[in-house]
Amino acid sequence: YKARYAVTPSQSPVPYSFILSNFGWRRHPITRQLAFHTGVDLPTFADAPVYATASGKVARQGWFGGYGWTIEIDHGYGIKTLYGHNDQLLTYAGQYVKKGQIIAKAGHSGLATGVHSHYEIRLNNRPANPSRFLNLDIFTACKEW
C-alpha cells in the first residue's frame, strides 16, 4: 500500500491554494472560445514552489505552447501528471522525483492571465478530474486503484 500510495497523486502541487478554474467545459479566459479545460488552475504567488504530487519519472519538460514551461511526470500504472505555466523548471527529463519534491517555480508562462499552476492528471492518456485526487490519504487513495 505504501509503494502504491507514493505513486498516486494525492496532494496539491501548490499548498494553501484553491481551484480558480475547474476541470471541464469553459470559455477560455484569453481566446474567449469554448474549450474543454483538461486540468484545474490553482492561483499562487510568483516563484512559489510547485511540488510533485506523487513519485515518478519526469517524462518530458520544456515549452508546451499554451501551457508555457511545463513538466510531465509518469507515475506508472497509467498515471501521469502535468504542471503548466511555470516560470522556472527544476528537473530534467528522465529524472526520478519523489512525492513532495519541489519541481518548479510558479509563473504565468504560455497562455495565462496571472500566476497560477495548471495541474492535470491523465489516466491511460485520458484527462481525469484532478479535484478528486487532492488531499487524499493512504486509505482514500486506495479507492482510486
Side-chain angles (χ1 to χ4, degrees):
Y1 285 101
K2 286 182 184 179
R4 185 68 191 263
Y5 179 65
V7 297
T8 300
S10 58
Q11 60 191 47
S12 176
V14 285
Y16 313 111
S17 188
F18 58 93
I19 296 175
L20 181 65
S21 184
N22 287 305
F23 176 85
W25 288 98
R26 69 167 188 176
R27 191 158 303 280
H28 192 281
I30 294 175
T31 67
R32 305 307 302 156
Q33 299 295 314
L34 191 62
F36 192 83
H37 191 224
T38 54
V40 294
D41 292 338
L42 305 161
T44 189
F45 56 91
D47 294 325
V50 177
Y51 299 91
T53 60
S55 299
K57 184 177 180 181
V58 177
R60 58 191 183 127
Q61 70 164 44
W63 185 267
F64 291 13
Y67 289 110
W69 294 111
T70 301
I71 296 172
E72 183 181 64
I73 301 174
D74 188 337
H75 306 285
Y77 301 99
I79 303 168
K80 290 183 182 176
T81 52
L82 183 140
Y83 311 79
H85 303 304
N86 298 294
D87 183 50
Q88 184 180 6
L89 306 180
L90 304 176
T91 63
Y92 55 88
Q95 178 181 355
Y96 183 79
V97 296
K98 292 191 174 202
K99 181 183 280 193
Q101 180 176 333
I102 298 172
I103 58 171
K105 299 286 182 150
H108 56 87
S109 61
L111 288 178
T113 57
V115 177
H116 70 280
S117 182
H118 173 82
Y119 177 56
E120 288 186 19
I121 295 179
R122 296 189 180 225
L123 302 176
N124 298 316
N125 291 319
R126 298 185 64 149
N129 190 342
S131 61
R132 75 182 223 220
F133 290 88
L134 297 175
N135 304 315
L136 297 179
D137 59 32
I138 197 166
F139 302 108
T140 55
C142 69
K143 293 178 184 174
E144 298 296 335
W145 307 333

